[in-house]
Amino acid sequence: MAGIMSLGARWRRWLGDPVRNGPEIYGEELGLVKAADPSTALLSDAGLNATILRLREVFGAEPGSDELRAELFAAVREVAGREIGLRLFDEQIGAGLALTRGAVIEMPTGEGKTLAAVAPAVLEALSGRRVHVLTVNDYLARRDARWMGPVYRRFGVTVGVVQEGSAFDERRRAYACDVTYLTAREAGFDFLRGHLCLDRERLLPREADFAIVDEADSILIDEARVPLVIAGSVPGAQSGAVVVAEVASRLEPGIDFDTDEHGHNVFLTGAGSQRVENEFGCSNLYSSDNLELLADLRNALHALHLVERDRDYIVRDGRVELVDDLTGRVAERRQWPDGLQAAIEAKERLDLREEGRILGSITMQHFLATYPRLSGMTATAEPAAEELAEFYRLPVVVIPPHRPCIRIDHEDRVFTHREAKSRALVDEISAVHAEGRPILVGTASVGESEALAGELEAAGLQCRVLNAKNDELEAGIIADAGALGALTISTNMAGRGTDIRLGGADEKQRDRVVALGGLYVIGTNRHESLRIDRQLRGRAGRQGDPGSSRFFVSLEDPLISRYGVKKLISARLLPGEQDGPVDAPVLGIEIARAQRIVEGENLAIRRRLWDYSLVAESQRRHLQGLRRRVLVGEVGTGLRERCPHRWQELQATVPVDVLDAVARRLTLLVTDRCWSDHLAELKRMRDGMHVVGFVGRDPVAEFSREAGRAFAELEEEIETEVDTLFQELDVGADGVDWENHGLVGPSSTWTYLVSDAPFGDNSMRGVANRAGFAAIAAVAAAPVLFVWGLVLHWKRRRVKAELAKRER
């Protein structure tokens, strides 16, 4: 049988299938581990320590055979049982073996991914390679490092943890460990900070040979298009968002502007343009001099009419905090780009947050590609297998559950309108709650979770609400969500990374809850991503527990209305408005099809963004590689050769080591400033490429050509500026008064993530700021903007129609 399964695996690999069945991949090696188990289990503590010492010596000197690797995994299983009371299941061992081969493993919720990652991390550490375990939040990084710490220490493997607020010395110690737990976000920010370092002593030893990514589909797919940014203060920077917001609030929808809710766009009418020109006293809103104003106005209209409080963001402690649509959590340190953040802050009458000058940026996708080897873990990898293979060359290995899943996933209940769905939800929750069975209700937004809680309380039902506004209560709410009679209303926060135990945290009432059927999960909407729905379902049925799930859907839900699902269904199958559910199985089929279409659109967007980012990333690698070699002294600055007379003049009074340090620091400062300017130029250039698309040229090809030209000019500019400043610097025996010469970095720096531009784009801001497009803008902007909304609307409809055709 093993031979047949292995042949099947090879056949699928030859066909290019990115999904592998776990036992086919690691079955033979798992057999070796199981064979080593009995003798390992009989070892005394002293004997086990002797085995560990021998394995450390072997793996420290050579890669090790399959048999030795199996012996190590068996030792990890035994140590985990003795040190933390958790003996790895065969499935966890198999998952660890798949991770060592560079795969993304899919393990159902509650199957112990955290423990499965320990054996491959120990193997890499004993082989002399550093490992990063990348998590989705600081809490998980801290918890997992502390929880798994005793196992690592028994093997002589050092383990550290990096948190958002960790000081430099703490970070240095943590990165110097064999295994470091931290968020992918924090690892990326430290990567960017390293590219601004001016003293080699301040470089963190953060390079690692192997990364294990927890919640891999979230980090590798959902976060892939979210750039990490390090910014610095810009003295005197001002925003006109407040004034523009006042004007925008007086514009009337349908008269002064129209919105395209499908494409998330807003555009002025002729009357609106005239009214804005009168308000601001400008003759032509679409002239090249006013395009910055036009961009601010579009942002203000977006903020007022397309961005919704308690759905897209919350206001807490005087700040706008974005809500991640995929997780339901506050998206920490994230803001919208191109002035939209300031527009929302102006709308809410808050102090405007400084955007600052971008000093460095990298997408999560490109950052993770800096690791020589990569692997990952999640409960929902299979739906993303194609993309994981395409962008990361990572196969998906599906690990079978330790115990069969007996959860019952009921068919959706579909209603003609939202009010009927709400009444049915309250009735269903009331009936099940009366039995004492725990219920978890997953909602689509903060506002919806609070509205449903209000309806339930009006019906006499007490519930606990978990959303982005009270995320500090998450641990306590989730701990009790499986208790007898528990009723929990949550956003997607309860859909990923949570483990709900039947009977409550202490499981005292487990038997009674099991007898009632386990946890009942209800989804109040279908999400655009099927993976998010699967994550919510996965809260029930943990490790063979009983449970059930059901989604309640109305034909007025965002997924249905936004993507025109009703238009894909024959009119004879759609009844008039009614209170009861619709008996039409085709609706479920079409809803699933809509999810596939939307996911296809999102994949197309990520592919397009990847095409754009490849050019900038290759330039970043080249320039930052050279910068680092200058910083650590591997290469010289070239100043001695380019400015020989000035060098010899200074050498007469300045020690050589001081002169070298001055040349190095000057080169680094100029490189950083020019790179920051270049990033802004690339951003403006990419935005301006939308205009090029209207005349039939490929925007990506044009961008690549223009970016290449700009980079060649950048390299020349750096050399020229360094040489010029070197001639002017007042260099003494103690070096240079950098501040007096105005050659210092920003007074403060901070890091954040730039969210997608989810409400269209603000290309005219790029056109306005790009000198090379000024002439084009003056002529082309007005007609372009005249058809702006119509073109975007038509393009999106055409894409959706084409995707729907392919699905048929």
Side-chain angles (χ1 to χ4, degrees):
M1 175 65 72
I4 295 173
M5 293 174 71
S6 178
L7 179 62
R10 287 196 295 269
W11 174 249
R12 283 196 300 276
R13 189 179 296 114
W14 183 79
L15 289 176
D17 185 353
V19 180
R20 315 275 191 266
N21 183 271
E24 298 176 357
I25 298 299
Y26 56 71
E28 184 175 339
E29 200 167 0
L30 177 59
L32 294 175
V33 176
K34 295 170 70 174
D37 272 341
S39 57
T40 306
L42 293 175
L43 291 172
S44 64
D45 280 347
L48 185 56
N49 288 338
T51 296
I52 291 171
L53 181 60
R54 175 173 54 83
L55 291 171
R56 284 180 57 86
E57 292 173 350
V58 169
F59 282 99
E62 58 186 59
S65 63
D66 288 349
E67 288 75 15
L68 283 169
R69 188 160 52 246
E71 187 178 359
L72 175 61
F73 271 63
V76 171
R77 168 141 60 185
E78 188 60 30
V79 167
R82 297 186 190 188
E83 293 291 335
I84 61 176
L86 296 172
R87 184 176 172 81
L88 281 82
F89 303 137
D90 286 352
E91 291 78 14
Q92 290 171 310
I93 292 289
L97 292 169
L99 288 172
T100 64
R101 300 183 182 196
V104 174
I105 60 167
E106 176 174 296
M107 293 181 73
T109 300
E111 292 290 304
K113 292 187 289 292
T114 301
L115 185 56
V118 173
V122 169
L123 172 63
E124 296 295 317
L126 295 189
S127 301
R129 295 183 285 268
R130 281 184 180 157
V131 181
H132 287 175
V133 182
L134 304 177
T135 65
V136 291
N137 59 56
D138 278 348
Y139 165 73
L140 290 176
R142 184 172 62 251
R143 183 203 70 178
D144 294 352
R146 185 182 299 126
W147 187 13
M148 300 295 120
V151 181
Y152 288 118
R153 287 190 287 274
R154 187 73 179 266
F155 282 89
V157 172
T158 56
V159 59
V161 59
V162 174
Q163 303 278 270
E164 180 181 334
S166 296
F168 176 79
D169 288 340
E170 293 175 303
R171 290 174 187 269
R172 179 157 51 190
R173 287 192 295 270
Y175 280 122
C177 290
D178 301 315
V179 179
T180 306
Y181 282 79
L182 73 166
T183 64
R185 177 179 62 246
E186 204 61 33
F189 288 146
D190 280 336
F191 176 81
L192 291 175
R193 292 185 189 105
H195 289 157
L196 295 176
C197 188
L198 296 174
D199 301 303
R200 61 183 303 175
E201 292 75 19
R202 299 291 294 177
L203 277 176
L204 288 168
R206 59 153 306 281
E207 287 77 11
D209 304 285
F210 183 50
I212 301 173
V213 183
D214 194 13
E215 301 294 353
D217 61 323
S218 175
I219 294 175
L220 297 177
I221 303 298
D222 301 330
E223 298 285 337
R225 56 198 249 197
V226 180
L228 298 95
V229 170
I230 184 166
S233 57
V234 180
Q238 299 292 328
S239 172
V242 175
V243 175
V244 175
E246 290 293 333
V247 172
S249 66
R250 297 194 289 271
L251 299 181
E252 300 180 43
I255 298 175
D256 297 317
F257 66 92
D258 289 315
T259 58
D260 168 19
E261 294 185 4
H262 295 288
H264 293 300
N265 275 280
V266 59
F267 47 95
L268 291 171
T269 63
S273 299
Q274 181 65 51
R275 182 170 180 178
V276 171
E277 289 169 355
N278 293 337
E279 291 273 4
F280 286 99
C282 58
S283 59
N284 180 7
L285 182 61
Y286 302 111
S287 71
S288 57
D289 293 335
N290 293 324
L291 290 179
E292 185 74 17
L293 170 62
L294 181 61
D296 287 337
L297 184 64
R298 289 188 67 235
N299 275 331
L301 291 171
H302 276 303
L304 287 167
H305 302 285
L306 294 179
V307 189
E308 186 177 326
R309 182 170 175 168
D310 289 342
R311 183 192 69 185
D312 303 304
Y313 68 93
I314 62 171
V315 176
R316 184 166 59 182
D317 299 328
R319 297 175 69 89
V320 168
E321 296 186 321
L322 278 68
V323 176
D324 190 320
D325 180 48
L326 297 169
T327 66
R329 303 175 190 275
V330 165
E332 298 178 23
R333 285 196 288 176
R334 188 180 299 182
Q335 65 185 53
W336 281 305
D338 301 329
L340 181 57
Q341 183 81 20
I344 296 170
E345 289 165 348
K347 163 190 169 182
E348 298 291 346
R349 302 184 182 280
L350 303 172
D351 292 336
L352 303 190
R353 191 186 311 185
E354 185 179 4
E355 283 193 27
R357 176 189 180 94
I358 293 179
L359 307 176
S361 177
I362 190 171
T363 65
M364 185 66 72
Q365 196 170 36
H366 286 303
F367 166 66
L368 292 171
T370 64
Y371 286 95
R373 293 173 56 228
L374 198 63
S375 64
M377 314 178 290
T378 181
T380 49
E382 191 170 358
E386 178 185 350
E387 194 164 349
L388 291 168
E390 178 179 346
F391 290 111
Y392 300 98
R393 295 192 177 94
L394 292 174
V396 168
V397 175
V398 178
I399 310 296
H402 180 60
R403 297 186 181 92
C405 179
I406 60 173
R407 184 185 67 239
I408 301 171
D409 296 327
H410 297 289
E411 293 291 328
D412 293 359
R413 284 186 182 166
V414 183
F415 297 84
T416 56
H417 56 295
R418 192 174 292 112
E419 290 76 12
K421 182 182 79 170
S422 296
R423 287 192 293 270
L425 270 170
V426 173
D427 291 344
E428 176 82 354
I429 292 169
S430 299
V432 175
H433 181 66
E435 302 172 359
R437 186 179 179 187
I439 304 170
L440 172 68
V441 185
T443 61
S445 67
V446 173
E448 186 186 1
S449 68
E450 294 177 341
L452 179 58
E455 293 174 14
L456 293 173
E457 289 178 5
L461 302 178
Q462 295 298 312
C463 61
R464 300 191 72 180
V465 179
L466 174 62
N467 60 39
K469 289 184 176 180
N470 65 343
D471 50 6
E472 72 280 0
L473 303 177
E474 178 179 3
I477 293 175
I478 291 299
D480 292 332
L484 191 69
L487 174 53
T488 308
I489 312 299
S490 177
T491 58
N492 288 337
M493 287 179 65
R496 185 187 288 275
T498 56
D499 193 7
I500 299 175
R501 298 176 181 273
L502 298 188
D506 55 11
E507 301 188 76
K508 286 183 178 180
Q509 302 166 322
R510 175 180 170 80
D511 291 344
R512 293 180 64 186
V513 172
V514 167
L516 290 170
L519 181 68
Y520 183 26
V521 171
I522 298 175
T524 64
N525 292 267
R526 280 290 191 171
H527 197 275
E528 290 183 2
S529 171
L530 179 60
R531 288 183 289 112
I532 304 304
D533 291 344
R534 286 186 56 187
Q535 288 280 355
L536 179 61
R537 286 195 193 275
R539 299 313 99 191
R542 168 187 169 275
Q543 290 192 8
D545 285 344
S548 60
S549 69
R550 187 190 296 277
F551 282 87
F552 283 64
V553 180
S554 90
L555 298 181
E556 295 178 344
D557 287 348
L559 177 68
I560 311 299
S561 60
R562 182 177 300 168
Y563 296 99
V565 174
K566 288 175 68 173
K567 296 179 181 178
L568 300 176
I569 304 169
S570 173
R572 61 184 177 81
L573 297 176
L574 290 174
E577 192 171 288
Q578 63 183 45
D579 290 335
V582 177
D583 183 18
V586 71
L587 285 174
I589 296 172
E590 295 300 341
I591 290 170
R593 178 156 63 140
Q595 289 179 307
R596 292 194 296 273
I597 291 172
V598 175
E599 288 179 339
E601 288 183 331
N602 289 333
L603 175 56
I605 291 172
R606 287 191 286 269
R607 282 176 175 148
R608 196 67 166 173
L609 291 173
W610 173 259
D611 290 340
Y612 274 114
S613 65
L614 276 175
V615 177
E617 176 59 14
S618 65
Q619 294 177 356
R620 185 203 63 76
R621 285 198 305 266
H622 175 79
L623 193 69
Q624 298 299 342
L626 179 59
R627 185 195 189 281
R628 185 180 180 88
R629 291 194 294 275
V630 170
L631 174 63
V632 301
E634 290 181 7
V635 298
T637 61
L639 267 172
R640 186 197 300 264
E641 294 75 24
R642 296 197 306 272
C643 305
H645 298 300
R646 178 61 172 162
W647 190 278
Q648 290 175 6
E649 176 188 343
L650 290 172
Q651 209 170 13
T653 58
V654 179
V656 174
D657 59 334
V658 173
L659 196 52
D660 284 336
V662 167
R664 185 165 55 250
R665 190 177 187 89
L666 177 62
T667 301
L668 296 176
L669 285 168
V670 172
T671 298
D672 292 345
R673 188 166 67 189
C674 290
W675 176 247
S676 177
D677 290 341
H678 184 67
L679 285 176
E681 175 75 356
L682 291 181
K683 175 67 172 65
R684 292 191 290 265
M685 192 183 299
R686 198 186 95 175
D687 287 345
M689 286 302 158
H690 288 75
V691 176
V692 172
F694 280 112
V695 294
R697 297 204 299 270
D698 180 8
V700 174
E702 291 292 322
F703 174 76
S704 299
R705 189 160 33 250
E706 287 289 305
R709 176 198 54 75
F711 188 69
E713 294 176 358
L714 169 70
E715 293 182 299
E716 292 180 8
E717 180 186 351
I718 291 173
E719 279 197 6
T720 301
E721 188 169 343
V722 168
D723 294 351
T724 301
L725 289 171
F726 185 62
Q727 299 284 353
E728 300 171 353
L729 281 179
D730 181 15
V731 185
D734 295 328
V736 173
D737 184 347
W738 298 102
E739 186 171 355
N740 186 52
H741 284 278
L743 292 170
V744 292
S747 58
S748 62
T749 61
W750 59 92
T751 54
Y752 60 89
L753 295 95
V754 178
S755 187
D756 304 306
F759 309 105
D761 55 64
N762 217 343
S763 303
M764 287 302 103
R765 181 184 294 277
V767 173
N769 289 332
R770 171 134 172 83
F773 282 103
I776 297 175
V779 177
V784 166
L785 288 167
F786 181 75
V787 297
W788 190 275
L790 294 177
V791 169
L792 289 173
H793 186 71
W794 174 78
K795 286 172 66 178
R796 284 174 172 81
R797 286 289 177 89
R798 184 168 180 174
V799 169
K800 289 168 189 170
E802 180 62 28
L803 287 167
K805 188 188 298 181
R806 292 179 190 173
E807 288 290 330
R808 295 192 189 100

